[in-house]
Amino acid sequence: MQPDKIYTGGRIFPAIDESVIDNGAVWVRDGRIAYVGPEDGLPAAAGDSASIDLAGQFLMPGMTETHAHLSFADASPFAIGDTSVEDATIIAVGNADKMLRAGFTSAISFGSTYKIDVALRGAINSGRISGPRLLAAGRDLGATSSNVDSPGGLSQIADGPWALRKAVREQRRDGVNVVKVFIDGEAINPRNPPGELSFCDEEVIAVVDEAHRRKMRVACHARSAAAVKQAVSAQVDFIGHANYLDQAAVDLLAGSKSPVFVGPAIAWEVQYLAQCESLGVSQETVRAQGYEREIEATVASVEKMRAAGIKLVVGGDYGISIAPHGTYAKDLEYFVTLFDMRPAEALLCATRNGGEAFDPSGSLGTLAKGSIADLVLVAGDPLDDITVLQDESRLTVIKSGVANP
Ligand SMILES: [Zn+2]
């Protein structure tokens, strides 16, 4: 068992709301939070603990990357499934370590090549490698002629409710936590652009019903209003992208019986526009594909979702050449600069909302008595400059009360 620790002399962001406790204290006992509040309110029983002076640092909960692809090898976005299983596995071990060092103590996978996530989760949980707590995904589930209908390690293709139910059962057999399904497509793919639904309603309902009955959750790629409506109607848990929402889609999200967590994952569009030449694609082509418009539409959609109180989460499809592993905290910068959020609001998306998405019982993402002691100490003030989180030399990351070496 680790000794108790008390962190004092810093600014504490409990991530319950946007408030900060100056001269706060956090008492960590057996890997959990035993107290958070003003330093002069520390219980007497905390007196025997080792004291750590934060020296003015900012202490916040560990963040959750909710659109993780740890098995992606920073390859071209046009060649994600091409890395061999051997190379992808070795690279994924390094990615897990990078993600933890970047302040992300939890990750919800949005799709794995091969079965790498499941092996990774086992290695992390047994302490053989360092990495975030991980909800492991299987291969992307997609229909024939969906955006993921390509050879390589990326996808599992099935059509029809029964074939899809079987595919979900196979993922259960493999030990997957999150079934990732492609509902619509990508502007770079003429055979399945956004707005063209690759499944019929009956198929998506079959996937979600089967996954939920088998204790798995469902993450989906859904860009258009039609895709989001199909996803919410089928009761998926996590939606990635949601770029083109009309008010009816937002109302459906807001009225959902169980909370749906939405991650805009805008890094792809921003970096594709900025770096397309490195992929051999001209700026004109990217504009003609509609990516400038996609960013504008996403900004408008996020504004509607904020107004409706939808639970927005951080997570950005990192793991491709133009948005590599390790740069996950850029997502919070996009939330502030593109979506016009207050830095504290972006932090809440990364901590409180992400933690709730990972564990609805409330053990993660906030600093509250009883919650798991996943902490990030920041030499700097992310409420003043959200980009300090991108400098890992300023971060000390603590998972279950233990500092990452
Ligand atoms: Zn993705």
Side-chain angles (χ1 to χ4, degrees), residues 107-130:
I108 299 172
S109 180
F110 242 70
S112 168
T113 56
Y114 304 97
K115 301 176 191 175
I116 293 173
D117 266 5
V118 173
L120 214 50
R121 183 192 59 205
I124 293 167
N125 289 349
S126 66
R128 278 180 284 138
I129 65 170
S130 81

Side-chain angles (χ1 to χ4, degrees), residues 11-28:
R11 304 181 69 212
I12 314 289
F13 183 74
I16 309 293
D17 54 29
E18 295 186 18
S19 62
V20 175
I21 304 169
D22 285 309
N23 295 314
V26 172
W27 177 24
V28 174

Side-chain angles (χ1 to χ4, degrees), residues 121-388:
R121 183 192 59 205
I124 293 167
N125 289 349
S126 66
R128 278 180 284 138
I129 65 170
S130 81
R133 355 179 145 271
L134 177 63
L135 291 183
R139 294 190 193 213
D140 290 346
L141 204 51
T144 298
S145 194
S146 65
N147 190 56
V148 287
D149 187 1
S150 54
L154 183 62
S155 54
Q156 184 172 3
I157 302 302
D159 301 284
W162 289 109
L164 284 160
R165 284 183 188 273
K166 184 176 183 198
V168 171
R169 289 169 192 173
E170 286 167 353
Q171 295 207 357
R172 174 65 168 150
R173 185 176 61 196
D174 289 341
V176 159
N177 305 113
V178 178
V179 174
K180 159 71 182 291
V181 61
F182 261 76
I183 293 203
D184 67 356
E186 283 293 344
I188 50 170
N189 185 349
R191 280 181 294 281
N192 191 189
E196 182 179 309
L197 302 183
S198 52
F199 288 119
C200 63
D201 292 351
E202 196 185 355
E203 291 173 303
V204 179
I205 289 167
V207 168
V208 179
D209 175 67
E210 194 67 32
H212 284 173
R213 207 181 64 256
R214 304 306 297 272
K215 308 284 183 282
M216 296 183 287
R217 298 165 86 196
V218 180
C220 75
H221 170 111
R223 293 201 179 274
S224 60
V228 167
K229 288 170 190 169
Q230 191 181 53
V232 177
S233 300
Q235 298 187 351
V236 305
D237 304 283
F238 314 122
I239 295 178
H241 308 299
N243 311 91
Y244 302 98
L245 298 193
D246 54 22
Q247 194 57 44
V250 175
D251 292 346
L252 199 64
L253 271 169
S256 170
K257 271 177 283 172
S258 53
V260 187
F261 297 87
V262 181
I266 197 70
W268 152 244
E269 288 89 346
V270 172
Q271 294 303 331
Y272 185 42
L273 267 164
Q275 302 186 56
C276 53
E277 268 102 10
S278 74
L279 303 169
V281 184
S282 71
Q283 281 279 343
E284 294 72 51
T285 302
V286 175
R287 292 214 174 82
Q289 287 169 335
Y291 279 104
E292 266 183 335
R293 193 173 72 86
E294 189 157 291
I295 292 175
E296 287 162 21
T298 311
V299 169
S301 295
V302 168
E303 200 172 309
K304 287 194 194 91
M305 288 192 280
R306 282 171 77 199
I310 306 302
K311 290 175 194 288
L312 293 166
V313 287
V314 159
D317 247 337
Y318 296 92
I320 52 178
S321 58
I322 56 173
H325 285 287
T327 64
Y328 318 104
K330 277 205 82 78
D331 240 53
L332 289 97
E333 181 185 348
Y334 299 138
F335 275 39
V336 170
T337 56
L338 267 179
F339 303 146
D340 207 23
M341 285 191 189
R342 297 174 296 280
E345 192 183 355
L347 276 185
L348 287 174
C349 293
T351 55
R352 183 189 66 191
N353 294 3
E356 188 189 342
F358 190 106
D359 178 14
S361 81
S363 69
L364 297 171
T366 59
L367 306 182
K369 193 175 175 188
S371 61
I372 292 172
D374 286 355
L375 313 173
V376 180
L377 318 186
V378 187
D381 185 355
L383 298 181
D384 181 48
D385 175 9
I386 198 73
T387 67
V388 297

Side-chain angles (χ1 to χ4, degrees), residues 29-69:
R29 173 166 233 188
D30 299 338
R32 298 225 170 217
I33 307 281
Y35 172 83
V36 56
E39 198 174 327
D40 54 18
L42 268 168
D48 301 336
S49 311
S51 186
I52 293 162
D53 183 3
L54 291 169
Q57 289 186 96
F58 187 89
L59 186 158
M60 58 185 262
M63 297 182 281
T64 299
E65 162 63 54
T66 68
H67 191 135
H69 291 299

